[in-house]
Amino acid sequence: MRNDYDFAVLGGGLVGAATAYGLAKLGLKVLMLDEGDVAKRASRGNFALVWVQNKGLGMPAYATWTRRSSDAWVPFARELEDTAGFAIHHRRTGGYHLALTEDELARRAAMIARLHNQPGVAPSEVEVLDGDEIRRRLPEAGPEVAGGTFCPLDGDVNSLKLFRALHEGFARLGGTYRSEAMVDVIEPGAGGFALSTQAGRFSADRIVLAAGLGNARLGAMVGMTVPVRPVRGQLIVTEKTAPFLDAPVSTVRQTDEGGVMVGDSQEEADSYDGMRQGVMAVMADRAVRMFPRLGRLNVVRTWSALRVMSPDGFPIYDESPVHPGCFVATCHSGVTLAAAHAALFAPAIAAGSPPSEFDDFSLRRFHVSAAA
Amino acid sequence: MIELGQVAHLDASYDLVVIGAGPAGLACAAQASAGGARTLLVDENAAPGGQIYRSVGATPLRARRDILGADYWTGEELASSFAASGAAYLAGATVWQVSPEREIGLSKDGSARLIDARHVVMATGALERPFPIPGWTQPGVMTAGAAQILLKTAGATATGRVVLAGSGPLLWLIAAQSLAAGRSFSAILDTTPKANWTAALAHLPSFLASPYLAKGLKLLRRVRREIAVVSGVTALEAEGDGRLERVRYVAGGETRTIGADHLFLHQGVTPNVNMASAAGCELVWDDLQLCWRPKADAWGRTSVPGIAVAGDGAGIAGAEAAALRGSLAALDALDALGLLPGDEKTRRAAPLRKTLARYDRGRGFLDALYRPAKSFRTADGDTIACRCEEVTGGQIRAAVADLHVAGPNQLKSFLRCGMGPCQGRLCGLTVSETIADARGVSPADVGYYRLRSPVKPITLAEIATLDQTEADVKAVARG
Amino acid sequence: MFQRLPDIRGDALSFTIDGKAAQARAGETVASALLLAGVETCRTTPVSGAPRAPYCLMGVCFECLVTIDGRGNQQGCLVTVQDGMRVETQIGRGKRELGR
Ligand SMILES: Cc1cc2nc3c(=O)[nH]c(=O)nc-3n(C[C@H](O)[C@H](O)[C@H](O)COP(=O)(O)OP(=O)(O)OC[C@H]3O[C@@H](n4cnc5c(N)ncnc54)[C@H](O)[C@@H]3O)c2cc1C
Ligand code: FES
């Protein structure tokens, strides 16, 4: 059977778009299928950090993977900008996490230490700083800041521009994008996969399930149990402000356009419509205590988005044992991992089955724990 | 009426919160309060009146009642019956949130507060339809409504060479009010598409029987006698270098230019749907009036229980109809609150509905006649669609063509349109219609911006003062 | 330019525009008072630096943003001008400054 495409990527969010972009970059004929204008899409609502410092406690492989993505981001950003034709404002300035009490600071420092004590995790580059040092480095930081942690590997990007650049780059590399094409049925066959969508039928030699929370439903069609659940994050953004913060803080950052983003909460919830004013209040209160002069800024938007969370919080990369050629990719830090998805994951699946370095991210880890 | 000075004076909850002190809100609050509901009326302006009766109690034109016309002064009666009611009134306050659970976020003079309402009526009125033409962001270009607001609130008018351009009943009213004030225009550029007459004629009989006819004819006659009207204008451009200098237009296939110090634009009004949309109320596309409006039944009940809309915010029908619909919403609220016996609601609604029907009768004709041309509703090339983020029609069309953007929300993340301080109020319709035009589908298939609170600006410090629970703290402060 | 009609009376008050003395009438909004004082362009945009003036006068467009008594980005058309008020235009200062 001759299929329309070498690869079909199901999902047009950050994970799908980065993977599709990476596959198209290899010269493959790629189709990206997406939902319509309104969807549970974390890609439009994230905090835009490319973040390393606290990633991987409980899974050393995740610490390494995040670190590799952070390294890959530098050449990836340059290449993506060339392909898409506009700047995405990636910067690796190093990033801060601020604590408002001594207790918060101690807990944070202990967590970072435990993370780096795991076997196989690269030595820590994180500095633990007291309040005065923070105020020296971040002049707008207020008297209530008790201290913080700083990791030189951290950075951020304009995530909306990243999102658009992936789509623009994918189109320029000859990829085909279809919106309002939610996949209803996947039919695995001998020579590939047939896909029925709102927008018609397509076929591809191989497919990647990259539909975020939709992966649970899609996985079931090909015999894979993909245990993802939504965790709501709320965000606040202010009016455009003259530059005051030249490195991101884990909960406060300033975009290249000037808006100040305040993030980001975590709640178990499956509606992105609902918003808890109290959660916003805590976020705003903490931001103003960190940077008192933010208080006067007008908030222009608040929103919530749903993170895609696996039971242990780590990414999932796997291939269906029953239907080889059907891959799944899911994570909650699609910005940080965008470079890894485009530059490492896409070539790995294009070459065949994911190599053994992906074993730790396999769905098998959930079967084992269920049996135990 | 009990006027409250600050948000701290508000009760923690009310039976009914009415948002907007135009005809719909005033009528609704006065009736509901008379019927025994503990009612709060909130408005962001300093005085009651809404758009049409703006400043009716405080206008400097009190000594010149002829200028604004008799219709304007009927607002006095509405305002005074509200003043005589027992409702609480918070002026100069913005409502920045109405949640589906009817938690209301308000703010006045830099202090924010959350209160609860058993029932909500949104009477937030209408906005002028966006009018995206080349050069419309330059100083010197304003909406005709803005010119009228200056007249009502400050007794002031524009001087020099003033051009009025566009279409719709309000355009003629504003021209007539200016003439009454002794100020004329260099020209009126009428953009009403000539072909609309054919469609409108079908509605003529009911229009002839409606109260609009007599009013309209008088206005038109007076204006046409005194001002040069260019009809059949098919293209408009505001030219200048940092400030308006000339207006270029096309009429009858010919391009002409006139010097202008001011250009006032108007092509009808459309419902202000941001608050309803952020409250989760379903919106529907109205293909006759070419706008979104909250889906609502004959009482104004939206898709969200306990939240109703009244007045022009529920669909454009004019001031008299707005007041009537405000009264209907009040009856429904009283009934829902258990304050009306048996079928009292239906009984008392009957005469209101009868009057309402008279006004509705004339609407079809006006809607058909003053339906603006697509070229004035969509943006193209370098013409700015989103004034806040400076996104052009050409960029929108390219995103549709190259990136297959299906609707305004994906577009928002790609181009930032609708992300500025006006939160898409001024570009929402243009963007929906431009995407629809580029895709060759109806705006109904394209959709509208998904909006969230705050629907009006509030400071970070104000949000920080709202109540926090332990669970809220846990959701944020992590290791 | 905008002018009050000749037979319009009202209580006069004084305020300042960019430090210069100006007059208004009680009850006028800051945006109206600026227009009547001959100040039309009230800001330049944070995106391209283009000049803008009040457009809707009813709180919708956010074109009328000015600094009032030291506080930036206030909607001039929703604030009633007060005696002694300090109003500053935001020309050349597109983005809000911290602390203002
Ligand atoms: C600029 C303009 C001028 C007009 N002039 C005329 C005219 O001269 N003659 C005529 O017949 N018709 C006129 N119309 C149409 C007329 O306004 C409507 O038919 C009528 O006012 C509708 O009444 P309403 O009560 O539904 O809304 P409105 O009268 O618009 O009242 C709504 C009120 O809600 C307030 N509000 C909105 N959002 C919030 C919030 N978040 N928080 C607090 N308050 C809020 C507004 O400030 C306003 O006071 C005009 C419309 C516009 C837009
Ligand atoms: S002039 Fe439009 S918001 Fe003030």
Side-chain angles (χ1 to χ4, degrees), chain A residues 14 41-49 73 80 86-89 157-168 235 237 253 255-257 261 301 303 335, chain B residues 389 403 409-417 419:
Chain A
L14 276 172
R41 211 171 261 137
S43 306
R44 289 187 198 150
N46 60 68
F47 199 60
L49 297 176
W73 247 105
L80 181 61
F86 55 87
I88 60 172
H89 301 277
V157 64
N158 182 317
S159 75
L160 293 180
K161 286 183 180 158
L162 164 65
F163 190 38
R164 178 172 149 217
L166 289 169
H167 277 262
E168 192 102 39
L235 292 169
V237 65
R253 56 179 290 271
T255 69
D256 54 290
E257 290 112 355
M261 293 175 71
R301 261 169 309 128
W303 70 91
V335 179
Chain B
E389 295 288 341
L403 302 179
N409 295 293
Q410 185 82 342
L411 193 76
K412 194 166 162 181
S413 39
F414 282 167
L415 296 181
R416 298 191 62 81
C417 58
M419 281 204 179

Side-chain angles (χ1 to χ4, degrees), chain A residues 14-15 18 73 162 331-339 341:
Chain A
L14 276 172
V15 176
W73 247 105
L162 164 65
C331 71
H332 62 69
S333 291
V335 179
T336 300
L337 296 179
H341 292 151

